[in-house]
Amino acid sequence: TSLFVVGDPFENTRFLRQADDPVLAFVDFSDVAIREAVSVETPGWGEPLIEAEGGPLLLAGQTAGRRIAILTFDLHASNLPLKISFPILFSNLLEWYAPAQPFDSSGPLHPGDPVVIRPQAATTDYRITFPDGTQQLYPVREATLTFASTTELGVYTVDLISGTEQTLTGQFAVNLFSPAESTIAPVDSIQIGQSQIGEAAPSERYGQRELWPWLAVAGLIVLAVEWWVYHRGSALPGKPDSTTRRRWWGADRRSP
C-alpha cells in the first residue's frame, strides 16, 4: 500500500508513553507485553498514539478522507487480547472510525419537523445541502442548534466545518410517510382533513346488491324437494287395496 511503509522489526517493545487521545480513553498499555513489532513510516498523516522504546506501537490519522489506525505488532505475539484494554481500545477505534451523526433525529422526518444539529468542540460552521442542490452555511454560536427549514422533500446533507476543513458529514431524509398509507384493513371511519367521515347510512348506500346467493338457496331447496319426491313418492299414502281393506275389517271385528 502507498499509505505507509513497513520497515525492520524490533524487539525493544517496552512501553514508553501513550498520548492523551480519545482513542485511548480508559486504555492502559503499561502492562502489555509484546514480543516483537515492526517500524512503520507514514508520509505525514499518521500520529503515534502509543510508543515503545523501539518505535510506535499504534499510529492513527486521516488521509484522503479516510481514518486509518495501524498496530505495528501481531496480536498473537502479545498478551493484549488477554487484557481489559483490548475490547476498550477496539471499541474506541470503532467509534473513531464511524463517529456519531452530526444531527439528532428521533424518527422519520416530515416537512417542517426540526432537526437538532450537534456540532463538535472545534466546529465553527455547519453547512446544509438542500434536496434541490442549494447550500446554506450557518455559523455555530451554541452547543446545540435547531434547523427547521425542512419544507422540501428529499435528502438533506449536513457538513460540520472547523475553520476551512470539513470534519463530519451526515444525511437525513424528509418525506410524507404516514402510518395510514399502509393500513388497508376496513375501518368504521376515516379522517379527511379536519373531518371525521363515518359509515354511510343504509339509505345512502349505492352500488349493486348481490342477489345470486338467495337464488342459489331457492334453487337448492327446489332440488331437495324434487329429490325427496322422486325417492319417496311411491311410498306416499293412497287408496287402500282389497287386502288392506280385509285386514282393516278383521281388525275392526276383533276389536271390542
Side-chain angles (χ1 to χ4, degrees), residues 102-114:
F103 57 87
D104 185 11
S105 175
S106 57
L109 295 174
H110 303 85
D113 287 350

Side-chain angles (χ1 to χ4, degrees), residues 45-184:
W45 60 264
E47 295 291 335
L49 299 184
I50 300 176
E51 291 185 271
E53 293 181 354
L57 301 176
L58 173 64
L59 299 102
Q62 184 170 340
T63 177
R66 294 182 294 179
R67 296 186 173 188
I68 302 173
I70 304 172
L71 284 173
T72 64
F73 59 94
D74 186 356
L75 290 175
H76 299 89
S78 72
N79 64 350
L80 178 60
L82 304 178
K83 301 294 184 180
I84 190 63
S85 295
F86 176 71
I88 297 176
L89 173 61
F90 278 85
S91 177
N92 294 343
L93 285 173
L94 289 175
E95 180 66 25
W96 180 65
Y97 282 137
Q101 293 284 356
F103 57 87
D104 185 11
S105 175
S106 57
L109 295 174
H110 303 85
D113 287 350
V115 177
V116 177
I117 306 297
R118 300 201 177 278
Q120 298 176 336
T123 301
T124 57
D125 305 275
Y126 70 95
R127 182 176 56 235
I128 302 293
T129 303
F130 292 82
D132 60 359
T134 60
Q135 294 183 340
Q136 183 68 41
L137 189 66
Y138 300 89
V140 173
R141 297 187 179 93
E142 302 176 3
T144 301
L145 307 169
T146 302
F147 175 75
S149 301
T150 56
T151 55
E152 297 182 27
L153 299 179
V155 178
Y156 293 72
T157 302
V158 182
D159 299 319
L160 299 185
I161 301 174
S162 297
T164 59
E165 181 182 358
Q166 179 179 319
T167 59
L168 190 60
T169 299
Q171 292 181 325
F172 63 87
V174 175
N175 48 54
L176 291 176
F177 284 161
S178 173
E181 292 181 356
S182 58
T183 303
I184 62 175

Side-chain angles (χ1 to χ4, degrees), residues 229-250:
V229 170
Y230 176 78
H231 287 279
R232 305 292 295 177
S234 58
L236 291 177
K239 294 183 179 181
D241 53 16
S242 58
T243 305
T244 305
R245 286 198 296 268
R246 288 195 299 270
R247 189 183 307 115
W248 288 354
W249 171 252

